[in-house]
Amino acid sequence: MPATPTNQQNGSSALTQIPLEPFAQANGQVVQARERWNRPRINTYRLAAIFFAFLVFGMNDGSYGALVPYIEQDYHLSYIVTSLVFLSPFAGYTVAALFSDRLHMFVGRRGIAIIAPSCKVISYAVIAAHPPYPAVVAILAITGLGNGLLDAAWNAWIGTLAQTNQLLGLLHGFYGLGATISPLISTSMITQGHLGWWTFFYIMTGLSALEILTGTWAFWSETGAKYIDVNRTDGADKGMTRKALKQKVTWICASFLLCYVGLEVSLGGWIVNFMIRVRKAQPFPSGMTATGFWLGLTVGRVVLGFITPMIGERIAVSAYLVVAVGCELVFWLVPQFIVSAVAVALVGFFTGPIFPSTIIAVTKLLPSEMHVAAIGFSAAVGGSGAALLPFAIGAIAQAKGPATLQPIVLALIAVLLGIWLTLPRMPKRLHEA
């Protein structure tokens, strides 16, 4: 962010407390270079805490696909009623979208590190008690709030660091890793250990409690007052969410992430059901196809996360989506289990880096003071897509059958490509104001 002599003086005390990279020249203006992942040293521990949080986040989202058939069987539910487990978190994500920036101002990142995983501990503990199905649906709204807050906060924080593209690729790689191992763990607990589906949430409760400890320790000094001091200039300490919402880029990225996260969770969430009902596979190998999808997504985020900045986000994401269309066509039109399993893993691989690339787009196209509000809103709207679209697919499957999953996924990829191409030209590095 360009620094004027006035705000350099006003922020001098803050700058002496935060060891940053030296000042540099950009477009003829003096700009303060970004912090790095290992400078100051506390950032190393913060990054580790965030990676762990996203591992748990991924385990949450990845577990749905493996658990849905057993929830449906346990409570004797139809597709559309089972789909409420996807829809319920929408309420929590909506609250997170509207109040993430304001909550940062009151409690800082330290408060987010406490509140977000606490929401998950409460909801997971209730689900682990195997309550009636309406209670499961209701409590998942609190899960959505916790995940929406951490999604917004930690994406925005990493967006302030140097080497953002690579770090976001790793961050979402940990999300994908969590989503990869959770179907394996939950399916093994149910099919091999003969345990109830709800016992998986004992693990989730313990991991979320550990997330409170690690995040709180790492971000203890990040108070609301410090957040305001670092991120607000010229008295613009209120209404940043309103300002971000006036930017076309915010709405394009929010719409894009709504479709993308909806695609991701829909495919990961319904693939097991599709393999059992349409491909006529056994439960355990069907559960492994969900693991294959999330593994492909994880590897794609890490590997392609280093290739994307070389090509440029706009061209790279467009190319990934075109290849994903081809993989999805193979998945849909070749009715063999092995081919379907490989194709869905490749869809995961090529769509994997899309979320972090979208966050990069926001940081390049908007001023730094809008990053938390814009990224927070876009990420939370994306989380809403994880609720709305899987529910819609469940409702369609109720009427037309689970085979409708594939044409819907194909249409979503095409819509993603269309939305992405409406973004303005991106600068190579920093926001060009």
Side-chain angles (χ1 to χ4, degrees):
M1 181 180 67
T4 64
T6 302
N7 61 38
Q8 285 181 23
Q9 290 177 352
N10 293 342
S12 61
S13 59
L15 295 178
T16 58
Q17 297 171 8
I18 307 173
L20 300 177
E21 289 290 298
F23 285 82
Q25 294 287 334
N27 299 327
Q29 294 179 304
V30 178
V31 295
Q32 186 179 302
R34 299 178 175 189
E35 292 185 15
R36 301 184 66 83
W37 69 269
N38 59 350
R39 190 180 305 173
R41 186 176 179 83
I42 187 65
N43 281 356
T44 305
Y45 305 113
R46 289 172 178 166
L47 204 61
I50 289 174
F51 284 168
F52 177 69
F54 264 67
L55 177 77
V56 180
F57 185 14
M59 289 182 69
N60 175 87
D61 286 358
S63 67
Y64 288 124
L67 295 178
V68 157
Y70 303 101
I71 295 173
E72 179 184 347
Q73 183 180 26
D74 182 30
Y75 292 110
H76 308 289
L77 306 172
S78 64
Y79 282 135
I80 192 168
V81 177
T82 306
S83 299
L84 291 173
V85 299
F86 296 107
L87 183 62
S88 175
F90 173 71
Y93 275 109
T94 301
V95 173
L98 295 175
F99 297 104
S100 176
D101 187 59
R102 182 57 59 90
L103 193 60
H104 272 76
M105 293 165 58
F106 280 108
V107 299
R109 293 189 177 102
R110 177 174 69 187
I112 299 295
I114 296 171
I115 294 170
S118 295
C119 290
K120 296 192 291 180
V121 168
I122 293 169
S123 58
Y124 293 150
V126 171
I127 296 172
H130 194 208
Y133 185 67
V136 173
V137 172
I139 202 67
L140 282 173
I142 300 179
T143 309
L145 174 60
N147 284 332
L149 288 174
L150 74 87
D151 196 13
W154 302 151
N155 274 293
W157 183 76
I158 287 187
T160 67
L161 302 179
Q163 297 178 302
T164 305
N165 218 317
Q166 292 86 345
L167 291 175
L168 281 172
L170 289 172
L171 175 70
H172 290 276
F174 273 91
Y175 170 91
L177 176 61
T180 300
I181 63 176
S182 64
L184 179 62
I185 295 170
S186 57
T187 300
S188 298
M189 291 174 69
I190 296 168
T191 62
Q192 309 299 317
H194 305 291
L195 300 172
W197 64 266
W198 58 90
T199 57
F200 174 73
F201 289 94
Y202 287 120
I203 297 174
M204 297 300 292
T205 303
L207 291 176
S208 297
L210 182 58
E211 186 184 333
I212 296 174
L213 298 178
T214 56
T216 303
W217 178 81
F219 285 95
W220 185 256
S221 63
E222 294 294 310
T223 62
K226 183 175 180 180
Y227 172 81
I228 293 173
D229 183 53
V230 171
N231 291 278
R232 298 292 187 264
T233 58
D234 302 324
D237 58 346
K238 294 183 179 180
M240 195 54 65
T241 299
R242 287 197 300 272
K243 292 180 180 179
L245 293 181
K246 292 179 180 178
Q247 302 293 320
K248 182 175 71 172
V249 168
T250 303
W251 287 100
I252 293 174
C253 290
S255 302
F256 184 81
L257 288 182
L258 185 146
C259 292
Y260 170 73
V261 179
L263 164 71
E264 177 185 273
V265 177
S266 295
L267 195 51
W270 286 108
I271 185 63
V272 176
N273 201 296
F274 176 86
M275 289 297 195
I276 292 173
R277 303 292 176 86
V278 179
R279 296 291 187 254
K280 308 301 181 183
Q282 295 299 310
F284 186 78
S286 296
M288 292 306 96
T289 59
T291 295
F293 168 73
W294 292 111
L295 179 61
L297 183 139
T298 303
V299 175
R301 282 180 172 171
V302 175
V303 173
L304 297 180
F306 287 89
I307 296 174
T308 299
M310 301 178 189
I311 306 172
E313 288 79 12
R314 186 180 179 86
I315 296 175
V317 169
S318 299
Y320 299 154
L321 288 171
V322 170
V323 176
V325 166
C327 296
E328 178 58 29
L329 281 170
V330 172
F331 183 15
W332 180 17
L333 299 177
V334 182
Q336 297 180 11
F337 178 82
I338 297 298
V339 174
S340 296
V342 173
V344 77
L346 289 174
V347 171
F349 179 81
F350 286 105
T351 57
I354 290 177
F355 193 108
S357 296
T358 308
I359 303 302
I360 293 293
V362 174
T363 62
K364 286 185 174 182
L365 293 169
L366 293 178
S368 59
E369 63 269 18
M370 291 186 185
H371 287 176
V372 168
I375 293 173
F377 179 80
S378 299
V381 170
S384 300
L388 294 174
L389 293 182
F391 173 78
I393 288 175
I396 294 171
Q398 177 71 30
K400 302 295 183 180
T404 55
L405 173 66
Q406 300 316 316
I408 293 172
V409 168
L410 186 64
L412 281 173
I413 298 174
V415 169
L416 281 171
L417 181 58
I419 296 174
W420 181 256
L421 293 176
T422 64
L423 277 173
R425 181 187 66 86
M426 298 180 202
K428 290 184 178 181
R429 295 187 182 276
L430 299 174
H431 167 72
E432 292 176 351

